[in-house]
Amino acid sequence: MHASPFESALLRLTQDAVFTMFHGFDVLSLFAVARASRIVHAIYCIYRRHVWDPDVHYGRWFHDVAYFKELLHRTSAVVSGSFALQFFGRLYYPSSDMDIFLRAAGADDVCSWLREEGYNSNVDGDEYGEWGAGESPHYTKAVMNKSSFHDPLLGVYAFQKIGSPPAGQDETLRIQVIVVDVDPVQHILFDFHSTGVMNFLTAFEGVSVFPWSTFVDRVSYVSKIRRESDARVAGWKKKYEGRGFLVKAGGSEVLQTLERGSRFVGDRRSWSMVFDDCAPLSRGYYGHQNIHIRFEVLLEDSGVVAHGSCIRVAEPYIWNLSPFEYFLLRASTSVTCRLLQHVDILSLVSLSRTSKQLHSVYEWFAEMAWDPSWRYRQWFVHIKAFKRLLRRCNAVVSGSFALQFFERRRYVGSDMDIYLRCAGVKEFCVWLKNEGYRNVDGNSSYVRTNFPEDTLRALAPRNSKRNPLLGVHTFQRMLGSASGHIEVQRVQVIVVDTDPVEHILFHFHSTAVMNFLAADRAVALFPMNTFVDRVSFITHAPPPASNHVVWKRKYRKRGFRIVGDSISEPEYRAVLGIRYVGDKFCWTMSFRGDSTWERGYYGVPKPDFAFEVLSSDLGIVDEGCKYKIAEPFVWR
């Protein structure tokens, strides 16, 4: 491959001559030259590794550079200010200092190590005016929560020593350890005075948040939000104007090259460098350091830019709110809960998809509205023990209780139905007795004998006439309500001869009650029909018909339309065909639970139990029913 005259000249020059030439290019020209050819790009890579090597820059300040980077990682600290500006801009500002930003943990480590490196405390060099005379005063401010909006610094410790600069003459090296009350990257974004200084280096990478404005346009947009003295503002403006920046304050025109709107640190508009030795050394005091913080760039027309500033770098998503969003976010929790409690489920889900703010409100409300522990707490004292029993016995809570859970309602006088198999019945009944419930069905065999009646029924031969219910143990207790009335709480432990979910599918009378709560999830099998259409399709109605009058009347009073074979409701239809518990047509909620719970008596419950919804057109639907729910694949 033949080299061009320019490439030949570069290859013949010494490294110092090439570096001097590349130093003379502005950053855009440098990147353009690097893309000219493979040969030039290879030379550029050598230059890049040298000029943007943090070890070279740190070597001017410290003897043990490796330990300094380990300190940065351990304390989640960042190096910013003029040092980071010089690093990215390939510049050298005589007498500029190094600013290290970090949180309270680790400040003493950094200060002690700086003294070992030969630095001495320098009270006069503290330009922030935050130096405390006591020992580690930042701890006092942190513990007593003395930081505030206008005073976010917990402490500033200034150090200095005499070093040798590149020119070979002695100079005073100054370092400021600045302890802040938030993540250091957040402090840089939301508390620095202008965009030109929003650059930083961590232990493993460096980021310039506004590289085009800073290193191409040479513009620094004022974005301060706190009060500062006129002398201090004039001081830093003069300093950066002297370094060749155009400082744009309030009322100045914003160039089109400044990206507006939502962003995050390290996005494609940032200038990010990952250093070669980027393997984490150990876990830091604050865990993994996340620098990819989201923010929003707002102009003066947003109405939230502080006086004297040109833009505002702020937390995202909260500055362009509708009046309704403002109302919800500013209302008390009780008002918000009462309002959302009266919103039907479709409107509630639609509201959650309107904006990120409303989705956050919905998630907060949903976590409370569909919290099973809150429901259980009205019935039992030891909630965790009840959940462990559900898991150990492979039991589920169904009936009116599950319906109320999904509907966010309360039916006065309704009971709690717990469905389970034989194993664990005795344990469940004894636990209910310890919770203050007493057995009212006249059958206390669950205590008196090792083989209660429901167990003996389970051992009997199966036939088509056998009742799927092996036993029902009813418990109740008297409880004083908040209004002063005496309320009767009734719990039914219903023993079935098969998996409780299978019993719900194949033996419950209609679709509206096919909902259940297990130990780790809640499932509604026909949510659209039940909670949106308010329709309940009859699926199991063994004769005589008189047995079904009571429950039909009860669910009609609760607002449901009961649909059987004699009622034509063409506008309401259930999803037909093969389905399974937890499929896309179900409404499933997973609960946060203890993953260390023991294995149940019947092993791990089958999570995706399959079933088939059959229409009356097939001729196998029972009399009085609209659909048949049956085992799949055997009815066609």
Side-chain angles (χ1 to χ4, degrees):
M1 182 177 64
H2 296 287
S4 67
F6 177 66
E7 293 170 337
S8 299
L10 285 180
L11 293 173
R12 291 173 180 173
L13 290 174
T14 63
Q15 177 174 292
D16 291 341
V18 173
F19 283 8
T20 302
M21 178 189 299
F22 280 7
H23 271 310
F25 292 145
D26 63 84
V27 68
L28 277 189
S29 301
L30 180 63
F31 292 156
V33 168
R35 295 172 181 172
S37 69
R38 292 184 179 180
I39 294 177
V40 179
H41 183 75
I43 297 173
Y44 160 77
C45 288
I46 298 173
Y47 170 78
R48 179 188 64 190
R49 281 194 295 270
H50 175 79
V51 75
W52 286 304
D53 180 2
D55 291 6
V56 174
H57 293 262
Y58 293 147
R60 173 186 160 211
W61 297 78
F62 310 116
H63 299 296
D64 193 348
V65 173
Y67 190 76
F68 174 67
K69 291 193 293 185
E70 183 180 342
L71 270 179
L72 289 180
H73 168 69
R74 189 192 312 158
T75 61
S76 299
V78 301
V79 180
S80 189
S82 297
F83 183 93
L85 184 63
Q86 295 173 85
F87 175 83
F88 282 98
R90 300 169 298 150
L91 303 168
Y92 172 66
Y93 300 140
S95 72
S96 66
D97 53 12
M98 174 188 286
D99 295 336
I100 303 173
F101 292 83
L102 75 169
R103 300 182 71 178
D108 285 350
D109 294 358
V110 174
C111 292
S112 298
W113 180 78
L114 287 175
R115 293 187 181 96
E116 293 177 5
E117 280 280 318
Y119 285 88
N120 301 309
S121 299
N122 175 30
V123 179
D124 297 332
D126 170 24
E127 69 174 80
Y128 288 84
E130 291 284 334
W131 174 262
E135 184 69 21
S136 302
H138 63 275
Y139 281 131
T140 304
K141 292 189 70 173
V143 171
M144 299 182 68
N145 198 24
K146 285 189 174 182
S147 61
S148 64
F149 176 79
H150 290 290
D151 184 20
L153 303 184
L154 298 177
V156 178
Y157 304 100
F159 296 86
Q160 70 176 29
K161 77 172 181 179
I162 304 300
S164 298
Q169 300 176 353
D170 288 344
E171 69 168 347
T172 302
L173 300 176
R174 295 183 176 87
I175 295 178
Q176 293 190 119
V177 179
I178 304 166
V179 189
V180 293
D181 60 354
V182 294
D183 184 278
V185 178
Q186 290 186 357
H187 181 81
I188 291 170
L189 286 172
F190 307 137
D191 292 290
F192 271 22
H193 54 68
S194 60
T195 59
V197 289
M198 292 184 184
N199 321 287
F200 63 89
L201 283 77
T202 70
F204 309 122
E205 56 189 315
V207 179
S208 174
V209 182
F210 295 92
W212 192 281
S213 301
T214 305
F215 303 109
V216 178
D217 296 335
R218 303 291 292 175
V219 172
S220 186
Y221 297 98
V222 178
S223 60
K224 64 183 181 66
I225 58 174
R226 291 181 172 82
R227 296 189 300 266
E228 290 183 309
S229 65
D230 293 339
R232 178 170 170 77
V233 173
W236 63 256
K237 280 186 177 181
K238 181 180 179 181
K239 180 170 72 172
Y240 284 95
E241 286 172 350
R243 292 174 176 178
F245 288 95
L246 174 61
V247 179
K248 291 202 170 190
S252 302
E253 180 184 1
V254 177
L255 301 180
Q256 292 298 319
T257 52
L258 178 70
E259 292 287 347
R260 288 85 160 165
S262 297
R263 291 185 51 194
F264 65 90
V265 176
D267 61 8
R268 63 185 181 87
R269 303 179 188 93
S270 302
W271 183 4
S272 301
M273 299 181 188
V274 178
F275 307 136
D276 291 338
D277 52 345
C278 58
L281 305 175
S282 60
R283 187 179 184 275
Y285 292 141
Y286 293 96
H288 174 69
Q289 186 177 20
N290 176 28
I291 67 168
H292 304 294
I293 296 172
R294 292 192 172 274
F295 62 94
E296 191 166 0
V297 180
L298 302 165
L299 304 185
E300 287 187 278
D301 56 10
S302 66
V304 297
V305 176
H307 176 71
S309 295
C310 186
I311 65 170
R312 179 165 184 174
V313 179
E315 295 185 2
Y317 312 129
I318 62 174
W319 304 101
N320 298 306
L321 301 180
S322 66
F324 181 63
E325 290 171 330
Y326 270 117
F327 167 74
L328 280 185
L329 293 174
R330 293 178 178 178
S332 64
T333 56
S334 59
V335 170
T336 304
C337 283
R338 281 184 175 273
L339 177 64
L340 297 181
Q341 187 68 25
H342 290 85
V343 179
D344 65 88
I345 185 60
L346 270 191
S347 301
L348 192 62
V349 173
S350 299
L351 190 68
S352 72
R353 296 174 178 174
T354 304
S355 68
K356 292 183 178 180
Q357 290 76 22
L358 293 181
H359 183 74
S360 299
V361 173
Y362 163 78
E363 286 186 327
W364 165 80
F365 172 74
E367 191 168 343
M368 293 190 300
W370 289 294
D371 177 14
S373 297
W374 181 83
R375 295 270 177 181
Y376 294 148
R377 200 169 289 117
Q378 300 174 49
W379 294 79
F380 311 117
V381 176
H382 302 94
I383 308 302
K384 289 186 177 180
F386 177 70
K387 291 180 180 179
R388 283 195 294 268
L389 272 177
L390 287 180
R391 179 177 290 273
R392 187 157 61 243
C393 301
N394 297 109
V396 300
V397 181
S398 190
S400 296
F401 184 93
L403 186 63
Q404 295 171 84
F405 173 81
F406 282 99
E407 282 196 300
R408 298 168 289 145
R409 292 187 180 182
R410 184 174 184 271
Y411 300 140
V412 178
S414 65
D415 52 14
M416 174 187 284
D417 296 336
I418 302 172
Y419 290 82
L420 74 167
R421 300 177 74 175
C422 289
V425 173
K426 178 179 178 180
E427 184 179 3
F428 230 120
C429 293
V430 171
W431 183 83
L432 285 172
K433 184 179 179 181
N434 294 334
E435 281 283 315
Y437 288 87
R438 63 185 183 88
N439 181 254
V440 295
D441 56 10
N443 178 12
S444 58
S445 61
Y446 64 93
V447 175
R448 188 174 61 244
T449 175
N450 292 328
F451 296 97
E453 186 177 349
D454 42 57
T455 304
L456 296 175
R457 289 178 182 172
L459 296 173
R462 284 175 174 261
N463 56 61
S464 59
K465 295 182 179 180
R466 194 177 87 169
N467 192 332
L469 299 183
L470 301 179
V472 178
H473 303 282
T474 304
F475 295 82
Q476 71 177 30
R477 70 176 179 181
M478 312 294 285
L479 190 69
S481 64
S483 59
H485 297 88
I486 300 298
E487 182 180 354
V488 178
Q489 289 185 316
R490 186 176 292 105
V491 178
Q492 292 192 114
V493 179
I494 303 170
V495 190
V496 295
D497 64 351
T498 184
D499 185 279
V501 177
E502 186 177 353
H503 180 84
I504 291 171
L505 283 168
F506 303 146
H507 296 285
F508 270 23
H509 52 69
S510 62
T511 57
V513 290
M514 292 184 183
N515 322 288
F516 66 88
L517 282 78
D520 54 0
R521 64 171 179 165
V523 180
L525 296 170
F526 296 89
M528 290 297 293
N529 300 125
T530 304
F531 306 111
V532 178
D533 300 333
R534 305 293 293 176
V535 170
S536 186
F537 298 108
I538 301 176
T539 59
H540 185 68
S546 58
N547 291 345
H548 309 290
V549 174
V550 175
W551 71 258
K552 286 182 180 180
R553 183 187 303 119
K554 179 172 72 172
Y555 282 92
R556 286 193 181 105
K557 287 180 64 176
R558 292 176 176 177
F560 289 95
R561 185 190 299 268
I562 308 300
V563 179
D565 61 347
S566 60
I567 302 176
S568 177
E569 295 284 355
E571 67 272 24
Y572 301 125
R573 294 181 61 86
V575 178
L576 302 177
I578 305 294
R579 290 188 52 193
Y580 63 89
V581 176
D583 62 10
K584 65 178 181 179
F585 301 110
C586 294
W587 181 4
T588 305
M589 301 181 193
S590 297
F591 302 142
R592 299 175 184 173
D594 186 355
S595 59
T596 62
W597 283 345
E598 67 271 22
R599 183 177 181 269
Y601 292 134
Y602 294 94
V604 179
K606 189 176 181 181
D608 52 354
F609 194 90
F611 62 96
E612 188 169 6
V613 182
L614 304 166
S615 69
S616 56
D617 300 337
L618 297 178
I620 58 174
V621 176
D622 297 335
E623 182 180 356
C625 297
K626 183 67 176 178
Y627 298 110
K628 182 180 181 68
I629 297 180
E631 294 184 3
F633 312 119
V634 298
W635 300 96
R636 296 181 180 275

